[in-house]
Amino acid sequence: MSELEVLPPPTNISASVRDGSLTVKWSLPYSRETNDSSCFQYELDMGDQENPRQLDGEESYTEQNVDPNLTYKVRIRARKEEDCQEQPEWSDWSHTVSEYWLLKSF
């Protein structure tokens, strides 16, 4: 019988705006069973009222053509891929990181 591992949220989350794009980066969540990045799936919530972006095995995401009038508040959660764990559960959401476009555009 395999043990269910509920991951903590990813850490070291950063958001930055450059050349009209918002880039979000994070570190792998701690897992007692693996550090293979291909075993992780993420949901990235950018606070824009859209559905969270689904990301597999990545540690960054870039949103092109961001709206210069918006403040982006991002958070992320993780779980293991089904190939790496049966019935994976989502972690809690990470803390929210904000990126203010207007502060970076001058």
Side-chain angles (χ1 to χ4, degrees), residues 2 27 80 104:
S2 65
S27 296
K80 287 190 178 174
K104 300 291 186 180

Side-chain angles (χ1 to χ4, degrees), residues 25-95:
K25 296 180 180 181
W26 58 89
S27 296
L28 289 174
Y30 170 79
S31 171
R32 65 178 179 266
E33 297 175 4
T34 186
N35 285 326
D36 179 359
S37 62
S38 67
C39 270
F40 298 99
Q41 182 179 47
Y42 303 96
E43 276 192 338
L44 177 63
D45 176 13
M46 296 180 55
D48 56 6
Q49 308 305 319
E50 292 183 22
N51 292 328
R53 282 99 174 134
Q54 299 286 321
L55 308 167
D56 294 330
E58 302 173 40
E59 293 175 63
S60 68
Y61 174 79
T62 300
E63 180 78 14
Q64 303 293 328
N65 303 315
V66 293
D67 184 339
N69 299 310
L70 294 180
T71 298
Y72 289 89
K73 295 181 179 183
V74 298
R75 63 185 185 155
I76 190 166
R77 65 183 182 171
R79 71 177 177 186
K80 287 190 178 174
E81 291 280 357
E82 289 185 7
D83 292 345
C84 298
Q85 176 179 309
E86 276 187 49
Q87 301 177 341
E89 295 290 324
W90 285 109
S91 70
D92 288 335
W93 285 103
S94 69
H95 65 281

